Amino acid sequence: MKAQRAVAHRPPRVRARTTSIAAFVVLAALIPTTASSAPGTRETDVELPYVCTLPSGPLAATVRITAEFPERAGAGEAFAPSGVTTSVRLPEAAVADLTARGADEVRAATRLEVGVAQGTAMAKATWRGGAEPAALPESGPLTLVSKGEVPSVAGRGDGDLTFTAGGLSIDLALDAAGPAATDPAATGSAAATGSAAATGSAEPDPGSLTVDCTLAEDAPGQGLLATVPVGEGGSPGPGGSPSPSEGTGESGQSGSPDPEARGGGEDGRADGSPEVLETAPGAAPDRDDVPPCRYDEQTPPTDVSLNAYVTGYANVNKMDGAAYLPPSCLLIEQGLPVDGPPDPEHIIFDTVSWANFHYQGRKQTPPFPSTFLSFDFAPVKTTMVLEQTGPIRIDSRIKLRLSDFTTVTDTYVRAPLVAHVTELEVNGTPLDVGPDCRTETSLTSVDPDPANHPGDHLVLYGRGEQLIGQEATGYLLLSGGTLSGETAIPAFTGCGTADGEDLDRLLTASVSGPGNHIKQVQGQTCAIAAPVFPTPETPGQCTPDLQPYEIPVAER
């Protein structure tokens, strides 16, 4: 049986629930492919003035946006800017607003509206990003650096595509100092959170805050980020960068993301306007090409069991490349929600859930091949798996805002995983790595709450948001989505045989090190106790034999 292929644009889904209870994502292969910075690209680095509205009033802020764009694209060819980073510098007065709410640390998610114009037609895209937790400074400004999802675009015909920054929204999760931090994992468990609140030992939750920012009137180039020539028409500005006058419509302005100003319809597009895709183009593998993902006699399901496929990429700093993990099966047991700390503006629930890889009865990924250039010249081929060394913990906090019933879910995943190399070939010569070639410890991340979560493990973070009556955005367990994080790859050990060469140093020097960014995609889950099968009106969530219906597509 062949699975229905995924397409770049994900159709609306029937949501089984309005909030997510848990989340999971897995790490991609850590031996990279030979991919590196793509040729024919140029970097954009633009600093723009914004005005942000905080409780104390409007304040001037600075937003720096960096990304890589292709030098040129073909008509109808979809592409996505890569390496997108949005850095927001809020003034000292903004820090005072946050500390006045009892906050000691913030976690930020950004939503930047970007206008994509071709001639007089315009579409809108939303560049989303998430930032690592940042402590509020005692004095001076606060800088938040976010990275995340960027939709791909395609020009409809010949002519320049211009990208213009528009409105920016910053969702801030405010954490209090000490053991009463709003991070759901800060207490060690959701139940502990409720207990602390009941005994009065916890401080009030500072809550959350959404800061809306508008582009300043005197912004250089009126917010122009880049110009990409499409087809035979158009050309980049001097030095490969757009000039402030390029990409202007008949009004002579580079434009903000206003579809009505360009003749766009309700979806922000006019006839002939650029097409904005939800994800980068690609096709999911056939079901015959992925491992089975089902519960069995050795692993029977419960009333709260879910299964899903996950896939993705991980950067490897030392190799200046990205590694790919093919779809792998994940089995999840949802936790029960308990009351979170009191908050006058929200209803809060916390959950702790657990998950495992599932491959031929073992808690690991299937074996996967990878190819890279060691030290930029020696071709190396490997086969490896990611193996669990303990249970995978999922801490989620669900916050329902009373003013408009918007639901925001923040999730941390803590996964103890070692990378096990089973085969190695260098410059065409097979090398015997032995049966125990692996990283010395689990892949490691900086944990936001190391006191309650000691030990070596990977940490990934995701945020989902759902407005009442609208489809959810970001990451939710039931519908899937992307999560991201950063990890250090430990040194390798046990690589080689007693009468052969010690290969630990080769792999350690080639791969091990900090600062490796991860982006993972989970597909729609299948709820075993209440399966949803496809109909002519709605997409399916489960196959007839209760496997996940969707096989996701990895995104860079």
Side-chain angles (χ1 to χ4, degrees):
M1 181 178 67
K2 298 286 185 180
Q4 179 178 339
R5 289 183 176 272
V7 295
H9 178 72
R10 180 179 296 173
R13 303 187 180 282
V14 175
R15 303 290 175 178
R17 304 181 188 180
T18 58
T19 60
S20 170
I21 293 181
F24 182 71
V25 69
V26 297
L27 179 68
L30 292 171
I31 303 295
T33 65
T34 55
S36 60
S37 296
T41 62
R42 66 179 186 274
E43 184 176 354
T44 290
D45 189 340
V46 178
E47 191 169 272
L48 298 170
Y50 273 76
V51 177
C52 298
T53 302
L54 284 104
S56 62
L59 297 172
T62 301
V63 177
R64 180 183 179 189
I65 302 164
T66 60
E68 287 188 354
F69 291 83
E71 291 281 359
R72 181 178 291 275
E77 176 188 356
F79 66 89
S82 61
V84 177
T85 300
T86 303
S87 301
V88 183
R89 188 169 69 247
L90 297 173
E92 187 171 8
V95 177
D97 281 346
L98 302 180
T99 55
R101 297 170 67 97
D104 177 71
E105 184 181 76
V106 297
R107 287 175 284 115
T110 59
R111 289 171 284 136
L112 177 66
E113 295 297 320
V114 175
V116 186
Q118 189 173 35
T120 59
M122 178 171 238
K124 290 192 300 182
T126 301
W127 290 6
R128 301 178 183 274
E132 294 293 324
L136 296 180
E138 294 183 1
S139 62
L142 169 67
T143 299
L144 304 169
V145 181
S146 72
K147 301 177 182 180
E149 304 174 46
V150 175
S152 58
V153 299
R156 293 286 184 157
D158 294 349
D160 290 345
L161 272 181
T162 60
F163 293 77
T164 306
L168 172 68
S169 294
I170 310 168
D171 298 317
L172 298 174
L174 309 179
D175 292 345
T182 61
D183 181 348
T187 60
S189 71
T193 303
S195 175
T199 59
S201 60
E203 295 295 330
D205 184 354
S208 61
L209 179 67
T210 296
V211 177
D212 292 321
C213 306
T214 57
L215 188 70
E217 294 182 358
D218 60 348
Q222 297 176 315
L224 185 64
L225 300 176
T227 299
V228 177
V230 175
E232 300 299 326
S235 60
S241 300
S243 64
S245 61
E246 283 184 322
T248 59
E250 296 177 354
S251 63
Q253 297 182 1
S254 60
S256 60
D258 180 3
E260 295 183 1
R262 300 287 183 175
E266 292 181 358
D267 62 353
R269 286 177 47 199
D271 292 340
S273 64
E275 182 178 9
V276 177
L277 306 175
E278 182 178 345
T279 61
D286 290 327
R287 187 166 298 277
D288 291 346
D289 298 328
V290 301
C293 189
R294 63 170 68 91
Y295 289 83
D296 50 35
E297 292 182 359
Q298 288 71 38
T299 312
T302 69
D303 290 342
V304 293
S305 294
L306 305 171
N307 54 1
Y309 282 108
V310 290
T311 184
Y313 288 95
N315 290 342
V316 180
N317 273 350
K318 282 189 174 180
M319 308 306 298
D320 193 25
Y324 169 66
L325 175 70
S328 300
C329 176
L330 186 73
L331 305 183
I332 307 168
E333 291 296 301
Q334 299 182 70
L336 296 177
V338 299
D339 291 339
D343 185 321
E345 300 177 358
H346 298 84
I347 298 175
I348 300 177
F349 297 98
D350 292 328
T351 67
V352 178
S353 303
W354 306 91
N356 291 304
F357 286 123
H358 187 67
Y359 176 71
Q360 297 183 351
R362 298 188 294 272
K363 297 176 181 178
Q364 65 173 59
T365 67
F368 49 86
S370 187
T371 303
F372 65 98
L373 290 178
S374 180
F375 308 111
D376 293 330
F377 68 88
V380 177
K381 296 181 179 180
T382 68
T383 300
M384 63 188 305
V385 297
L386 296 178
E387 300 173 343
Q388 289 179 226
T389 61
I392 298 170
R393 177 177 174 132
I394 305 155
D395 289 279
S396 294
R397 169 156 288 180
I398 305 165
K399 304 180 75 171
L400 175 65
R401 191 158 58 217
L402 297 175
S403 60
D404 58 4
F405 299 105
T406 295
T407 301
V408 174
T409 302
D410 292 300
T411 300
Y412 284 96
V413 177
R414 294 175 169 91
L417 301 171
V418 296
H420 182 184
V421 178
T422 60
E423 296 180 9
L424 178 64
E425 181 181 297
V426 178
N427 204 23
T429 302
L431 301 177
D432 189 353
V433 296
D436 299 313
C437 178
R438 64 190 69 224
T439 52
E440 290 181 338
T441 64
S442 170
L443 309 167
T444 58
S445 302
V446 177
D447 197 296
D449 183 28
N452 286 303
H453 299 281
D456 297 317
H457 50 264
L458 169 70
V459 179
L460 297 173
Y461 170 74
R463 165 173 283 201
E465 179 177 315
Q466 188 165 25
L467 304 177
I468 188 169
Q470 299 184 26
E471 185 156 346
T473 58
Y475 183 88
L476 295 176
L477 173 67
L478 297 180
S479 56
T482 62
L483 291 89
S484 61
E486 197 168 274
T487 190
I489 306 171
F492 284 80
T493 186
C495 303
T497 59
D499 56 351
E501 184 179 1
D502 184 350
L503 303 174
D504 292 347
R505 291 184 178 180
L506 171 64
L507 289 170
T508 298
S510 301
V511 178
S512 302
N516 304 288
H517 183 71
I518 304 161
K519 183 177 183 180
Q520 294 290 276
V521 182
Q522 179 204 297
Q524 168 77 42
T525 57
C526 169
I528 306 302
V532 176
F533 302 110
T535 71
E537 292 78 25
T538 60
Q541 298 176 6
C542 305
T543 63
D545 59 348
L546 299 182
Q547 296 193 68
Y549 186 83
E550 182 181 5
I551 302 174
V553 179
E555 301 173 16
R556 291 187 181 273

